[in-house]
Amino acid sequence: MEIEVLEGVFDANEIIARENRRILDSKNVFMVNLMSGPGAGKTSLVLRTLEALSGKLRCAVIEGDVTGKVDSERIADAGVIAIQINTGGSCHLEAKQVNTALGRLDLESIDLLIVENVGNLVCPAEFRIGEDLKAMILSVAEGDDKPLKYPLMFSESDVLIINKVDLLPFTDFDIGRLKETVKKMNPRIEIFEVSCKTGDGIGEWSSWLKKKVSG
Amino acid sequence: MEIEVLEGVFDANEIIARENRRILDSKNVFMVNLMSGPGAGKTSLVLRTLEALSGKLRCAVIEGDVTGKVDSERIADAGVIAIQINTGGSCHLEAKQVNTALGRLDLESIDLLIVENVGNLVCPAEFRIGEDLKAMILSVAEGDDKPLKYPLMFSESDVLIINKVDLLPFTDFDIGRLKETVKKMNPRIEIFEVSCKTGDGIGEWSSWLKKKVSG
């Protein structure tokens, strides 16, 4: 028999993340942890994804923010159940906060649960919440040097969604260089190019996600 | 006689921030704490500001990043002294890290010291480093709803620099609404509109900063 010794904040988080995982598995719910810096387009991507998957998957959303409920109101306006978590100053979601939110959802009636993390490219990558998939967004406007400066986020994510590709002509963002850098750090990462403004690329991303959830 | 009781991580940081303040005052160095989310344009603004103040003020830079030295190399390439701090996973600079960097600079030969904090709109606002001025950048591409979601950063900053105004025609960013929201939260804040790409607005910001340093 192996005894695991768990210590400190990361290990306490890990225990609850596993409990979340167990709960979600028992209800057959697929959970995405969606992360990015501020203003990369998390809420816009959630709205576009919900629209694309409407009638195909039963979705719900957990919104993580330091404060306020701007985002959960945007989701609720779209007719989808949204639970708002306010971290009260903390710059990332922890598994225990997600655990509380899970208790407020009717998990039997959900196929896909999207968790929008706090806008931050650093700490959310360090805290598992019991997700099936870690997805991150990088906006074209943020620059193609970001993987070198926030490597953990890029190496921990299963999916990178490059958003705001409509702005490519007006920036010096080199999408080829970005992909090369990221693939070196994380060869298994899936990369999608989208514009939440125009809708470009949303179909491809949503179809891929639907397969993941159904598979 | 008053005895201050200082406890915990914030108070330990505050003690060292005051010590940094004392050191800088003794050498007549003005220190700016420059903060923003990832990719808002901190390093680009530093480079534009150094260029504008060249021959007018003696400048140096402290670069804060989770890892790597991309930014300090960009500054050094411009012929300005730059010290790189790697936080090793932490999402903000603390006063003790800045204190170490101060020990490596010839403060007698510096008028203006710009500290580029880690790209993060949450935690850097909570940790004083002994600065004279807190300046933050918001990029037009991030959206005008950010003050509602990251209020501490907007209420703690002395200056807001709205960057990437060249992208205004291609976004739905409402600069009037943004200013109104921010001014309600922080009536004393100074607001500048710039494009580090085209150079628009850099003169106004740099002249204002020069007056602050010289005054």
Side-chain angles (χ1 to χ4, degrees):
Chain A
M1 182 180 151
E2 270 187 58
I3 298 175
E4 271 186 290
V5 180
L6 297 171
E7 282 173 8
V9 60
F10 287 110
D11 290 336
N13 186 76
E14 184 60 26
I15 291 171
I16 306 174
R18 289 180 198 173
E19 170 64 9
N20 291 350
R21 187 66 262 133
R22 193 195 59 74
I23 293 168
L24 294 164
D25 280 343
S26 75
K27 303 290 183 181
N28 209 20
V29 177
F30 189 94
M31 187 164 82
V32 176
N33 182 1
L34 182 60
M35 302 173 282
S36 80
K42 289 182 296 303
T43 314
S44 300
L45 184 76
V46 170
L47 287 167
R48 283 286 193 180
T49 306
L50 292 175
E51 188 182 33
L53 296 177
S54 174
K56 297 172 187 165
L57 290 175
R58 299 167 303 164
C59 301
V61 178
I62 296 175
E63 285 291 337
D65 280 294
V66 172
T67 188
K69 47 182 184 172
V70 176
D71 287 349
S72 57
E73 284 172 354
R74 282 177 71 189
I75 305 299
D77 285 349
V80 172
I81 288 169
I83 306 265
Q84 180 78 52
I85 298 174
N86 282 156
T87 63
S90 178
C91 62
H92 59 275
L93 285 178
E94 293 185 18
K96 66 183 173 197
Q97 295 162 327
V98 174
N99 185 269
T100 303
L102 291 182
R104 290 176 53 199
L105 287 164
D106 175 17
L107 296 174
E108 297 282 359
S109 69
I110 298 170
D111 303 309
L112 170 63
L113 178 58
I114 304 178
V115 181
E116 183 182 330
N117 218 308
V118 179
N120 180 353
L121 274 185
V122 186
C123 302
E126 296 176 10
F127 290 84
R128 286 215 322 132
I129 56 173
E131 64 275 59
D132 293 271
L133 190 80
K134 286 187 178 182
M136 70 164 293
I137 308 177
L138 181 73
S139 144
V140 155
E142 290 175 82
D144 53 35
D145 61 342
K146 291 300 158 289
L148 302 172
K149 302 173 73 176
Y150 306 92
L152 189 67
M153 182 63 78
F154 287 84
S155 57
E156 280 285 316
S157 293
D158 304 294
V159 187
L160 164 64
I161 295 140
I162 305 172
N163 188 24
K164 308 193 190 182
V165 293
D166 55 292
L167 291 180
L168 275 174
F170 316 112
T171 66
D172 52 10
F173 191 95
D174 184 333
I175 211 159
R177 183 167 63 191
L178 185 275
K179 283 179 170 180
E180 197 183 334
T181 312
V182 173
K183 282 283 185 184
K184 265 186 207 156
M185 297 166 66
N186 183 351
R188 65 173 177 80
I189 199 167
E190 293 277 346
I191 303 181
F192 295 92
E193 301 174 28
V194 311
S195 165
C196 290
K197 192 174 182 185
T198 66
D200 280 356
I202 297 294
E204 202 180 343
W205 146 251
S206 302
S207 301
W208 180 88
L209 179 59
K210 183 174 177 297
K211 272 186 207 151
K212 279 275 175 191
V213 177
S214 307
Chain B
M1 182 181 151
E2 271 188 56
I3 297 175
E4 272 186 289
V5 180
L6 298 171
E7 281 173 9
V9 60
F10 287 110
D11 290 336
N13 186 75
E14 183 60 25
I15 290 171
I16 306 174
R18 289 179 198 174
E19 170 62 10
N20 290 351
R21 187 68 260 132
R22 192 195 60 72
I23 293 168
L24 293 165
D25 280 344
S26 75
K27 304 290 183 180
N28 209 21
V29 178
F30 189 95
M31 188 165 81
V32 175
N33 182 2
L34 183 60
M35 301 172 284
S36 81
K42 289 183 296 304
T43 314
S44 299
L45 184 77
V46 170
L47 287 167
R48 284 287 193 179
T49 307
L50 292 175
E51 187 183 35
L53 296 177
S54 174
K56 296 172 186 164
L57 290 174
R58 298 168 304 164
C59 301
V61 178
I62 296 175
E63 285 291 338
D65 281 294
V66 172
T67 188
K69 48 183 185 171
V70 176
D71 287 348
S72 58
E73 285 171 353
R74 281 177 72 189
I75 305 298
D77 285 348
V80 172
I81 288 168
I83 307 264
Q84 181 78 52
I85 298 174
N86 282 155
T87 63
S90 178
C91 63
H92 59 275
L93 285 177
E94 294 186 17
K96 66 184 173 195
Q97 296 163 326
V98 174
N99 185 269
T100 304
L102 292 182
R104 291 175 52 198
L105 287 165
D106 174 18
L107 297 174
E108 298 282 359
S109 68
I110 298 170
D111 303 310
L112 170 63
L113 178 58
I114 304 178
V115 181
E116 183 182 329
N117 218 310
V118 179
N120 181 354
L121 274 185
V122 186
C123 302
E126 295 177 10
F127 290 83
R128 286 214 322 131
I129 55 173
E131 64 276 64
D132 294 270
L133 191 80
K134 285 187 180 183
M136 70 165 293
I137 308 178
L138 181 74
S139 145
V140 155
E142 290 175 82
D144 53 33
D145 61 342
K146 291 300 157 292
L148 301 173
K149 301 174 73 176
Y150 307 92
L152 188 67
M153 183 62 78
F154 287 85
S155 57
E156 280 286 315
S157 292
D158 304 293
V159 187
L160 165 63
I161 296 140
I162 305 171
N163 189 23
K164 309 193 190 182
V165 293
D166 55 291
L167 292 179
L168 275 173
F170 316 111
T171 66
D172 51 10
F173 191 95
D174 184 334
I175 211 159
R177 182 166 63 189
L178 185 274
K179 284 179 169 179
E180 195 183 334
T181 312
V182 173
K183 283 283 186 185
K184 264 186 208 156
M185 297 167 67
N186 183 351
R188 66 175 176 79
I189 199 167
E190 292 277 346
I191 303 180
F192 294 92
E193 301 173 28
V194 312
S195 165
C196 289
K197 192 174 182 187
T198 66
D200 280 357
I202 297 295
E204 200 180 344
W205 146 251
S206 302
S207 300
W208 180 87
L209 179 60
K210 183 174 178 300
K211 272 186 206 149
K212 279 275 175 190
V213 177
S214 308

